[in-house]
Amino acid sequence: MLPKVIIVEGLTDKQQIKKVITEDVTIICTNGTLGIERFDNMLETYQLDDRDVYIMADEDRAGWKLRKQLKRELPHAEHIYIHPDYKEVATTPLHEIAHALVSKNIEVNPIFL
């Protein structure tokens, strides 16, 4: 079985998530919204139709736009939300990220729970 995939906006989001997860998860950075060609390449490269996919975007206009786009393109993907007070995944406390990931059955280091 292929590892789970978490789609995030930027590298700092990826780095923040990597601090807490303990299972083999592929984290993909979109660096903003995706064009059709770039999305199709990502879909094929990472076999997104055959994997458990999670979307963890910022609680801002760009994050909502990305979620909306990915909801259309990857209807099987599950969304992981951070508390709106934190606005950005990169600045969300590690224990908050850990709780959000555990709620989707993604393994995290228990020190953050």
Side-chain angles (χ1 to χ4, degrees):
M1 186 168 162
L2 293 167
K4 296 171 185 168
V5 172
I6 301 174
I7 299 174
V8 298
E9 291 177 81
L11 184 59
T12 53
D13 301 333
K14 178 178 180 174
Q15 291 167 337
Q16 191 77 335
I17 293 168
K18 285 181 93 172
K19 292 175 185 175
V20 300
I21 59 173
T22 57
E23 74 175 279
D24 182 23
V25 174
T26 301
I27 304 173
I28 303 170
C29 298
T30 64
N31 299 310
T33 54
L34 297 165
I36 294 170
E37 185 177 319
R38 192 157 157 245
F39 175 78
D40 287 344
N41 184 43
M42 189 174 81
L43 186 68
E44 188 177 311
T45 300
Y46 295 101
Q47 300 172 281
L48 297 180
D49 285 331
D50 303 321
R51 297 169 86 163
D52 292 334
V53 178
Y54 302 88
I55 299 159
M56 193 168 191
D58 294 343
E59 287 296 318
D60 60 13
R61 178 179 248 118
W64 300 327
K65 185 176 178 181
L66 179 63
R67 282 185 191 280
K68 186 176 179 182
Q69 178 186 13
L70 291 175
K71 189 175 192 173
R72 223 178 19 253
E73 304 291 344
L74 293 169
H76 72 285
E78 292 189 50
H79 291 260
I80 302 172
Y81 295 92
I82 59 167
H83 194 282
D85 288 349
Y86 299 116
K87 301 227 185 307
E88 298 178 3
V89 173
T91 58
T92 300
L94 296 177
H95 70 274
E96 291 284 337
I97 289 177
H99 282 281
L101 295 170
V102 163
S103 74
K104 298 296 183 179
N105 296 314
I106 296 171
E107 295 172 23
V108 301
N109 185 331
I111 196 168
F112 297 109
L113 297 176

